[in-house]
PDB file of all heavy atoms in Angstrom:
ATOM      1  N   PHE S   1      31.403   2.075   3.123  1.00 97.00           N
ATOM      2  CA  PHE S   1      32.049   2.847   4.179  1.00 97.00           C
ATOM      3  C   PHE S   1      33.104   3.771   3.579  1.00 97.00           C
ATOM      4  O   PHE S   1      33.721   3.448   2.564  1.00 97.00           O
ATOM      5  CB  PHE S   1      32.666   1.911   5.215  1.00 97.00           C
ATOM      6  CG  PHE S   1      31.664   1.342   6.177  1.00 97.00           C
ATOM      7  CD1 PHE S   1      30.669   0.481   5.739  1.00 97.00           C
ATOM      8  CD2 PHE S   1      31.684   1.683   7.523  1.00 97.00           C
ATOM      9  CE1 PHE S   1      29.718  -0.026   6.614  1.00 97.00           C
ATOM     10  CE2 PHE S   1      30.745   1.184   8.405  1.00 97.00           C
ATOM     11  CZ  PHE S   1      29.757   0.325   7.954  1.00 97.00           C
ATOM     12  N   PRO S   2      33.307   4.927   4.213  1.00 93.00           N
ATOM     13  CA  PRO S   2      34.221   5.926   3.642  1.00 93.00           C
ATOM     14  C   PRO S   2      35.654   5.425   3.572  1.00 93.00           C
ATOM     15  O   PRO S   2      36.159   4.813   4.507  1.00 93.00           O
ATOM     16  CB  PRO S   2      34.092   7.118   4.612  1.00 93.00           C
ATOM     17  CG  PRO S   2      33.592   6.526   5.887  1.00 93.00           C
ATOM     18  CD  PRO S   2      32.722   5.377   5.497  1.00 93.00           C
ATOM     19  N   THR S   3      36.306   5.717   2.470  1.00 88.00           N
ATOM     20  CA  THR S   3      37.708   5.333   2.291  1.00 88.00           C
ATOM     21  C   THR S   3      38.651   6.483   2.627  1.00 88.00           C
ATOM     22  O   THR S   3      39.848   6.262   2.828  1.00 88.00           O
ATOM     23  CB  THR S   3      37.959   4.869   0.848  1.00 88.00           C
ATOM     24  OG1 THR S   3      37.541   5.907  -0.059  1.00 88.00           O
ATOM     25  CG2 THR S   3      37.173   3.602   0.541  1.00 88.00           C
ATOM     26  N   ASP S   4      38.100   7.717   2.671  1.00 88.00           N
ATOM     27  CA  ASP S   4      38.952   8.844   3.040  1.00 88.00           C
ATOM     28  C   ASP S   4      39.215   8.864   4.546  1.00 88.00           C
ATOM     29  O   ASP S   4      40.222   9.406   4.998  1.00 88.00           O
ATOM     30  CB  ASP S   4      38.330  10.164   2.584  1.00 88.00           C
ATOM     31  CG  ASP S   4      36.909  10.352   3.087  1.00 88.00           C
ATOM     32  OD1 ASP S   4      36.280   9.345   3.488  1.00 88.00           O
ATOM     33  OD2 ASP S   4      36.426  11.499   3.081  1.00 88.00           O
ATOM     34  N   HIS S   5      38.303   8.251   5.311  1.00 91.00           N
ATOM     35  CA  HIS S   5      38.494   8.091   6.752  1.00 91.00           C
ATOM     36  C   HIS S   5      38.121   6.650   7.122  1.00 91.00           C
ATOM     37  O   HIS S   5      37.059   6.403   7.703  1.00 91.00           O
ATOM     38  CB  HIS S   5      37.630   9.075   7.538  1.00 91.00           C
ATOM     39  CG  HIS S   5      38.008  10.506   7.342  1.00 91.00           C
ATOM     40  ND1 HIS S   5      39.150  11.050   7.886  1.00 91.00           N
ATOM     41  CD2 HIS S   5      37.408  11.500   6.651  1.00 91.00           C
ATOM     42  CE1 HIS S   5      39.230  12.326   7.544  1.00 91.00           C
ATOM     43  NE2 HIS S   5      38.192  12.621   6.803  1.00 91.00           N
ATOM     44  N   PRO S   6      38.978   5.686   6.775  1.00 91.00           N
ATOM     45  CA  PRO S   6      38.647   4.277   7.020  1.00 91.00           C
ATOM     46  C   PRO S   6      38.516   3.978   8.510  1.00 91.00           C
ATOM     47  O   PRO S   6      39.198   4.571   9.344  1.00 91.00           O
ATOM     48  CB  PRO S   6      39.823   3.524   6.394  1.00 91.00           C
ATOM     49  CG  PRO S   6      40.949   4.513   6.370  1.00 91.00           C
ATOM     50  CD  PRO S   6      40.318   5.848   6.165  1.00 91.00           C
ATOM     51  N   LEU S   7      37.628   3.045   8.821  1.00 93.00           N
ATOM     52  CA  LEU S   7      37.387   2.642  10.203  1.00 93.00           C
ATOM     53  C   LEU S   7      38.005   1.272  10.440  1.00 93.00           C
ATOM     54  O   LEU S   7      37.686   0.310   9.738  1.00 93.00           O
ATOM     55  CB  LEU S   7      35.879   2.607  10.481  1.00 93.00           C
ATOM     56  CG  LEU S   7      35.158   3.944  10.273  1.00 93.00           C
ATOM     57  CD1 LEU S   7      33.652   3.760  10.380  1.00 93.00           C
ATOM     58  CD2 LEU S   7      35.651   4.982  11.270  1.00 93.00           C
ATOM     59  N   ALA S   8      38.882   1.198  11.419  1.00 87.00           N
ATOM     60  CA  ALA S   8      39.602  -0.055  11.674  1.00 87.00           C
ATOM     61  C   ALA S   8      38.699  -1.126  12.262  1.00 87.00           C
ATOM     62  O   ALA S   8      38.908  -2.316  12.053  1.00 87.00           O
ATOM     63  CB  ALA S   8      40.782   0.207  12.612  1.00 87.00           C
ATOM     64  N   SER S   9      37.679  -0.704  13.015  1.00 92.00           N
ATOM     65  CA  SER S   9      36.780  -1.663  13.653  1.00 92.00           C
ATOM     66  C   SER S   9      35.350  -1.430  13.178  1.00 92.00           C
ATOM     67  O   SER S   9      34.785  -0.345  13.380  1.00 92.00           O
ATOM     68  CB  SER S   9      36.849  -1.517  15.180  1.00 92.00           C
ATOM     69  OG  SER S   9      35.900  -2.365  15.807  1.00 92.00           O
ATOM     70  N   VAL S  10      34.778  -2.428  12.523  1.00 96.00           N
ATOM     71  CA  VAL S  10      33.379  -2.387  12.067  1.00 96.00           C
ATOM     72  C   VAL S  10      32.765  -3.745  12.369  1.00 96.00           C
ATOM     73  O   VAL S  10      33.161  -4.760  11.786  1.00 96.00           O
ATOM     74  CB  VAL S  10      33.285  -2.084  10.553  1.00 96.00           C
ATOM     75  CG1 VAL S  10      31.838  -2.162  10.085  1.00 96.00           C
ATOM     76  CG2 VAL S  10      33.883  -0.726  10.236  1.00 96.00           C
ATOM     77  N   MET S  11      31.801  -3.759  13.289  1.00 97.00           N
ATOM     78  CA  MET S  11      31.176  -5.023  13.691  1.00 97.00           C
ATOM     79  C   MET S  11      29.657  -4.908  13.651  1.00 97.00           C
ATOM     80  O   MET S  11      29.055  -4.249  14.505  1.00 97.00           O
ATOM     81  CB  MET S  11      31.640  -5.417  15.095  1.00 97.00           C
ATOM     82  CG  MET S  11      33.130  -5.723  15.194  1.00 97.00           C
ATOM     83  SD  MET S  11      33.623  -6.286  16.861  1.00 97.00           S
ATOM     84  CE  MET S  11      33.405  -4.769  17.804  1.00 97.00           C
ATOM     85  N   PRO S  12      29.010  -5.536  12.650  1.00 98.00           N
ATOM     86  CA  PRO S  12      27.550  -5.476  12.579  1.00 98.00           C
ATOM     87  C   PRO S  12      26.907  -6.330  13.674  1.00 98.00           C
ATOM     88  O   PRO S  12      27.442  -7.375  14.062  1.00 98.00           O
ATOM     89  CB  PRO S  12      27.232  -6.057  11.193  1.00 98.00           C
ATOM     90  CG  PRO S  12      28.535  -6.068  10.453  1.00 98.00           C
ATOM     91  CD  PRO S  12      29.600  -6.211  11.492  1.00 98.00           C
ATOM     92  N   GLN S  13      25.787  -5.877  14.177  1.00 97.00           N
ATOM     93  CA  GLN S  13      25.002  -6.670  15.121  1.00 97.00           C
ATOM     94  C   GLN S  13      24.048  -7.550  14.327  1.00 97.00           C
ATOM     95  O   GLN S  13      23.429  -7.080  13.376  1.00 97.00           O
ATOM     96  CB  GLN S  13      24.201  -5.746  16.047  1.00 97.00           C
ATOM     97  CG  GLN S  13      23.335  -6.494  17.056  1.00 97.00           C
ATOM     98  CD  GLN S  13      22.622  -5.532  17.991  1.00 97.00           C
ATOM     99  OE1 GLN S  13      23.214  -4.574  18.469  1.00 97.00           O
ATOM    100  NE2 GLN S  13      21.345  -5.774  18.242  1.00 97.00           N
ATOM    101  N   PRO S  14      23.913  -8.835  14.689  1.00 97.00           N
ATOM    102  CA  PRO S  14      22.991  -9.704  13.956  1.00 97.00           C
ATOM    103  C   PRO S  14      21.567  -9.149  13.964  1.00 97.00           C
ATOM    104  O   PRO S  14      21.103  -8.614  14.975  1.00 97.00           O
ATOM    105  CB  PRO S  14      23.068 -11.029  14.719  1.00 97.00           C
ATOM    106  CG  PRO S  14      24.401 -10.989  15.404  1.00 97.00           C
ATOM    107  CD  PRO S  14      24.628  -9.553  15.764  1.00 97.00           C
ATOM    108  N   VAL S  15      20.884  -9.268  12.825  1.00 97.00           N
ATOM    109  CA  VAL S  15      19.502  -8.828  12.690  1.00 97.00           C
ATOM    110  C   VAL S  15      18.672 -10.025  12.246  1.00 97.00           C
ATOM    111  O   VAL S  15      18.992 -10.666  11.233  1.00 97.00           O
ATOM    112  CB  VAL S  15      19.376  -7.679  11.661  1.00 97.00           C
ATOM    113  CG1 VAL S  15      17.913  -7.264  11.493  1.00 97.00           C
ATOM    114  CG2 VAL S  15      20.217  -6.483  12.088  1.00 97.00           C
ATOM    115  N   ASP S  16      17.631 -10.338  13.004  1.00 96.00           N
ATOM    116  CA  ASP S  16      16.787 -11.488  12.671  1.00 96.00           C
ATOM    117  C   ASP S  16      16.219 -11.349  11.262  1.00 96.00           C
ATOM    118  O   ASP S  16      15.703 -10.298  10.875  1.00 96.00           O
ATOM    119  CB  ASP S  16      15.630 -11.601  13.671  1.00 96.00           C
ATOM    120  CG  ASP S  16      16.098 -12.020  15.056  1.00 96.00           C
ATOM    121  OD1 ASP S  16      17.219 -12.559  15.158  1.00 96.00           O
ATOM    122  OD2 ASP S  16      15.350 -11.808  16.033  1.00 96.00           O
ATOM    123  N   GLY S  17      16.327 -12.428  10.501  1.00 97.00           N
ATOM    124  CA  GLY S  17      15.771 -12.441   9.150  1.00 97.00           C
ATOM    125  C   GLY S  17      16.694 -11.892   8.084  1.00 97.00           C
ATOM    126  O   GLY S  17      16.287 -11.788   6.926  1.00 97.00           O
ATOM    127  N   TRP S  18      17.931 -11.568   8.469  1.00 98.00           N
ATOM    128  CA  TRP S  18      18.876 -10.984   7.509  1.00 98.00           C
ATOM    129  C   TRP S  18      20.245 -11.638   7.630  1.00 98.00           C
ATOM    130  O   TRP S  18      20.736 -11.870   8.728  1.00 98.00           O
ATOM    131  CB  TRP S  18      19.023  -9.480   7.747  1.00 98.00           C
ATOM    132  CG  TRP S  18      17.768  -8.715   7.478  1.00 98.00           C
ATOM    133  CD1 TRP S  18      16.695  -8.584   8.313  1.00 98.00           C
ATOM    134  CD2 TRP S  18      17.454  -7.989   6.296  1.00 98.00           C
ATOM    135  NE1 TRP S  18      15.731  -7.818   7.718  1.00 98.00           N
ATOM    136  CE2 TRP S  18      16.167  -7.439   6.482  1.00 98.00           C
ATOM    137  CE3 TRP S  18      18.134  -7.737   5.101  1.00 98.00           C
ATOM    138  CZ2 TRP S  18      15.552  -6.653   5.506  1.00 98.00           C
ATOM    139  CZ3 TRP S  18      17.524  -6.960   4.128  1.00 98.00           C
ATOM    140  CH2 TRP S  18      16.241  -6.423   4.336  1.00 98.00           C
ATOM    141  N   ASP S  19      20.849 -11.931   6.474  1.00 98.00           N
ATOM    142  CA  ASP S  19      22.236 -12.382   6.414  1.00 98.00           C
ATOM    143  C   ASP S  19      23.124 -11.166   6.192  1.00 98.00           C
ATOM    144  O   ASP S  19      22.752 -10.241   5.452  1.00 98.00           O
ATOM    145  CB  ASP S  19      22.436 -13.378   5.262  1.00 98.00           C
ATOM    146  CG  ASP S  19      21.666 -14.674   5.484  1.00 98.00           C
ATOM    147  OD1 ASP S  19      21.552 -15.104   6.651  1.00 98.00           O
ATOM    148  OD2 ASP S  19      21.154 -15.231   4.502  1.00 98.00           O
ATOM    149  N   VAL S  20      24.297 -11.153   6.817  1.00 98.00           N
ATOM    150  CA  VAL S  20      25.186 -10.009   6.687  1.00 98.00           C
ATOM    151  C   VAL S  20      26.546 -10.452   6.162  1.00 98.00           C
ATOM    152  O   VAL S  20      27.068 -11.504   6.543  1.00 98.00           O
ATOM    153  CB  VAL S  20      25.341  -9.269   8.041  1.00 98.00           C
ATOM    154  CG1 VAL S  20      25.938 -10.191   9.098  1.00 98.00           C
ATOM    155  CG2 VAL S  20      26.172  -8.008   7.883  1.00 98.00           C
ATOM    156  N   LYS S  21      27.103  -9.643   5.282  1.00 98.00           N
ATOM    157  CA  LYS S  21      28.418  -9.909   4.719  1.00 98.00           C
ATOM    158  C   LYS S  21      29.276  -8.654   4.866  1.00 98.00           C
ATOM    159  O   LYS S  21      28.852  -7.553   4.500  1.00 98.00           O
ATOM    160  CB  LYS S  21      28.309 -10.281   3.233  1.00 98.00           C
ATOM    161  CG  LYS S  21      29.661 -10.518   2.558  1.00 98.00           C
ATOM    162  CD  LYS S  21      29.496 -10.806   1.078  1.00 98.00           C
ATOM    163  CE  LYS S  21      30.854 -10.975   0.394  1.00 98.00           C
ATOM    164  NZ  LYS S  21      30.704 -11.215  -1.079  1.00 98.00           N
ATOM    165  N   VAL S  22      30.472  -8.834   5.406  1.00 97.00           N
ATOM    166  CA  VAL S  22      31.405  -7.725   5.604  1.00 97.00           C
ATOM    167  C   VAL S  22      32.532  -7.837   4.585  1.00 97.00           C
ATOM    168  O   VAL S  22      33.196  -8.877   4.487  1.00 97.00           O
ATOM    169  CB  VAL S  22      31.977  -7.729   7.030  1.00 97.00           C
ATOM    170  CG1 VAL S  22      32.994  -6.608   7.197  1.00 97.00           C
ATOM    171  CG2 VAL S  22      30.853  -7.578   8.057  1.00 97.00           C
ATOM    172  N   THR S  23      32.756  -6.776   3.820  1.00 97.00           N
ATOM    173  CA  THR S  23      33.794  -6.758   2.798  1.00 97.00           C
ATOM    174  C   THR S  23      34.942  -5.859   3.223  1.00 97.00           C
ATOM    175  O   THR S  23      34.729  -4.696   3.588  1.00 97.00           O
ATOM    176  CB  THR S  23      33.229  -6.243   1.455  1.00 97.00           C
ATOM    177  OG1 THR S  23      32.141  -7.069   1.048  1.00 97.00           O
ATOM    178  CG2 THR S  23      34.305  -6.256   0.378  1.00 97.00           C
ATOM    179  N   LYS S  24      36.158  -6.405   3.200  1.00 94.00           N
ATOM    180  CA  LYS S  24      37.345  -5.637   3.569  1.00 94.00           C
ATOM    181  C   LYS S  24      38.217  -5.391   2.338  1.00 94.00           C
ATOM    182  O   LYS S  24      38.236  -6.184   1.411  1.00 94.00           O
ATOM    183  CB  LYS S  24      38.154  -6.377   4.634  1.00 94.00           C
ATOM    184  CG  LYS S  24      37.468  -6.474   5.986  1.00 94.00           C
ATOM    185  CD  LYS S  24      38.381  -7.127   7.017  1.00 94.00           C
ATOM    186  CE  LYS S  24      37.737  -7.170   8.392  1.00 94.00           C
ATOM    187  NZ  LYS S  24      38.636  -7.765   9.406  1.00 94.00           N
ATOM    188  N   SER S  25      38.955  -4.291   2.376  1.00 92.00           N
ATOM    189  CA  SER S  25      39.864  -3.957   1.286  1.00 92.00           C
ATOM    190  C   SER S  25      41.189  -3.448   1.855  1.00 92.00           C
ATOM    191  O   SER S  25      41.240  -2.950   2.980  1.00 92.00           O
ATOM    192  CB  SER S  25      39.251  -2.885   0.377  1.00 92.00           C
ATOM    193  OG  SER S  25      38.037  -3.340  -0.184  1.00 92.00           O
ATOM    194  N   LYS S  26      42.250  -3.591   1.065  1.00 90.00           N
ATOM    195  CA  LYS S  26      43.558  -3.104   1.473  1.00 90.00           C
ATOM    196  C   LYS S  26      43.577  -1.580   1.515  1.00 90.00           C
ATOM    197  O   LYS S  26      42.962  -0.915   0.680  1.00 90.00           O
ATOM    198  CB  LYS S  26      44.636  -3.606   0.506  1.00 90.00           C
ATOM    199  CG  LYS S  26      44.921  -5.095   0.591  1.00 90.00           C
ATOM    200  CD  LYS S  26      45.696  -5.425   1.860  1.00 90.00           C
ATOM    201  CE  LYS S  26      46.086  -6.898   1.892  1.00 90.00           C
ATOM    202  NZ  LYS S  26      46.848  -7.226   3.124  1.00 90.00           N
ATOM    203  N   LEU S  27      44.278  -1.045   2.480  1.00 85.00           N
ATOM    204  CA  LEU S  27      44.380   0.400   2.627  1.00 85.00           C
ATOM    205  C   LEU S  27      45.643   0.913   1.955  1.00 85.00           C
ATOM    206  O   LEU S  27      46.702   0.280   2.024  1.00 85.00           O
ATOM    207  CB  LEU S  27      44.407   0.792   4.104  1.00 85.00           C
ATOM    208  CG  LEU S  27      43.159   0.436   4.921  1.00 85.00           C
ATOM    209  CD1 LEU S  27      43.389   0.795   6.386  1.00 85.00           C
ATOM    210  CD2 LEU S  27      41.938   1.162   4.382  1.00 85.00           C
ATOM    211  N   ASP S  28      45.522   2.063   1.308  1.00 82.00           N
ATOM    212  CA  ASP S  28      46.702   2.682   0.714  1.00 82.00           C
ATOM    213  C   ASP S  28      47.672   3.142   1.805  1.00 82.00           C
ATOM    214  O   ASP S  28      48.884   3.082   1.645  1.00 82.00           O
ATOM    215  CB  ASP S  28      46.287   3.881  -0.151  1.00 82.00           C
ATOM    216  CG  ASP S  28      45.468   3.453  -1.367  1.00 82.00           C
ATOM    217  OD1 ASP S  28      45.647   2.300  -1.815  1.00 82.00           O
ATOM    218  OD2 ASP S  28      44.646   4.259  -1.839  1.00 82.00           O
ATOM    219  N   LYS S  29      47.082   3.586   2.920  1.00 80.00           N
ATOM    220  CA  LYS S  29      47.884   4.037   4.053  1.00 80.00           C
ATOM    221  C   LYS S  29      47.438   3.285   5.302  1.00 80.00           C
ATOM    222  O   LYS S  29      46.306   3.443   5.757  1.00 80.00           O
ATOM    223  CB  LYS S  29      47.714   5.541   4.260  1.00 80.00           C
ATOM    224  CG  LYS S  29      48.581   6.111   5.367  1.00 80.00           C
ATOM    225  CD  LYS S  29      48.379   7.616   5.492  1.00 80.00           C
ATOM    226  CE  LYS S  29      49.248   8.185   6.611  1.00 80.00           C
ATOM    227  NZ  LYS S  29      49.052   9.654   6.750  1.00 80.00           N
ATOM    228  N   PRO S  30      48.289   2.409   5.856  1.00 80.00           N
ATOM    229  CA  PRO S  30      47.906   1.611   7.038  1.00 80.00           C
ATOM    230  C   PRO S  30      47.510   2.482   8.220  1.00 80.00           C
ATOM    231  O   PRO S  30      47.992   3.600   8.387  1.00 80.00           O
ATOM    232  CB  PRO S  30      49.173   0.802   7.343  1.00 80.00           C
ATOM    233  CG  PRO S  30      49.920   0.761   6.060  1.00 80.00           C
ATOM    234  CD  PRO S  30      49.644   2.085   5.396  1.00 80.00           C
ATOM    235  N   LEU S  31      46.587   1.948   9.045  1.00 76.00           N
ATOM    236  CA  LEU S  31      46.152   2.621  10.259  1.00 76.00           C
ATOM    237  C   LEU S  31      46.880   2.030  11.462  1.00 76.00           C
ATOM    238  O   LEU S  31      47.348   0.893  11.419  1.00 76.00           O
ATOM    239  CB  LEU S  31      44.639   2.452  10.451  1.00 76.00           C
ATOM    240  CG  LEU S  31      43.711   3.021   9.375  1.00 76.00           C
ATOM    241  CD1 LEU S  31      42.274   2.637   9.701  1.00 76.00           C
ATOM    242  CD2 LEU S  31      43.854   4.527   9.281  1.00 76.00           C
ATOM    243  N   GLU S  32      46.944   2.823  12.529  1.00 74.00           N
ATOM    244  CA  GLU S  32      47.518   2.312  13.772  1.00 74.00           C
ATOM    245  C   GLU S  32      46.437   2.341  14.846  1.00 74.00           C
ATOM    246  O   GLU S  32      45.811   3.367  15.101  1.00 74.00           O
ATOM    247  CB  GLU S  32      48.712   3.160  14.204  1.00 74.00           C
ATOM    248  CG  GLU S  32      49.459   2.538  15.378  1.00 74.00           C
ATOM    249  CD  GLU S  32      50.811   3.182  15.624  1.00 74.00           C
ATOM    250  OE1 GLU S  32      51.483   3.557  14.637  1.00 74.00           O
ATOM    251  OE2 GLU S  32      51.195   3.298  16.802  1.00 74.00           O
ATOM    252  N   MET S  33      46.206   1.174  15.478  1.00 69.00           N
ATOM    253  CA  MET S  33      45.142   1.062  16.465  1.00 69.00           C
ATOM    254  C   MET S  33      45.628   0.207  17.615  1.00 69.00           C
ATOM    255  O   MET S  33      46.018  -0.945  17.420  1.00 69.00           O
ATOM    256  CB  MET S  33      43.886   0.440  15.820  1.00 69.00           C
ATOM    257  CG  MET S  33      42.706   0.283  16.750  1.00 69.00           C
ATOM    258  SD  MET S  33      41.274  -0.399  15.865  1.00 69.00           S
ATOM    259  CE  MET S  33      40.121  -0.545  17.224  1.00 69.00           C
ATOM    260  N   HIS S  34      45.621   0.785  18.823  1.00 67.00           N
ATOM    261  CA  HIS S  34      46.077   0.086  20.017  1.00 67.00           C
ATOM    262  C   HIS S  34      47.487  -0.478  19.834  1.00 67.00           C
ATOM    263  O   HIS S  34      47.794  -1.595  20.228  1.00 67.00           O
ATOM    264  CB  HIS S  34      45.121  -1.043  20.380  1.00 67.00           C
ATOM    265  CG  HIS S  34      43.704  -0.576  20.571  1.00 67.00           C
ATOM    266  ND1 HIS S  34      43.342   0.409  21.449  1.00 67.00           N
ATOM    267  CD2 HIS S  34      42.550  -0.985  19.970  1.00 67.00           C
ATOM    268  CE1 HIS S  34      42.032   0.594  21.400  1.00 67.00           C
ATOM    269  NE2 HIS S  34      41.526  -0.231  20.501  1.00 67.00           N
ATOM    270  N   GLY S  35      48.334   0.321  19.187  1.00 74.00           N
ATOM    271  CA  GLY S  35      49.721  -0.072  19.007  1.00 74.00           C
ATOM    272  C   GLY S  35      49.958  -1.055  17.877  1.00 74.00           C
ATOM    273  O   GLY S  35      51.083  -1.498  17.677  1.00 74.00           O
TER     274      GLY S  35
END
């Protein structure tokens, strides 16, 4: 996922026959979302 425009909310939908792993990283500049 792009780091120049990070997305605060990323939620994969389960897919039959596939395992999913979400990797998060610290942001250089914090985002503000819903206060």
Side-chain angles (χ1 to χ4, degrees):
F1 281 65
T3 55
D4 54 342
H5 294 287
L7 301 172
S9 175
V10 175
M11 295 183 291
Q13 179 177 317
V15 178
D16 290 341
W18 295 80
D19 294 325
V20 61
K21 178 183 177 182
V22 177
T23 302
K24 292 184 177 182
S25 300
K26 290 287 185 180
L27 298 176
D28 294 333
K29 184 179 180 180
L31 299 175
E32 188 167 324
M33 180 178 177
H34 304 304

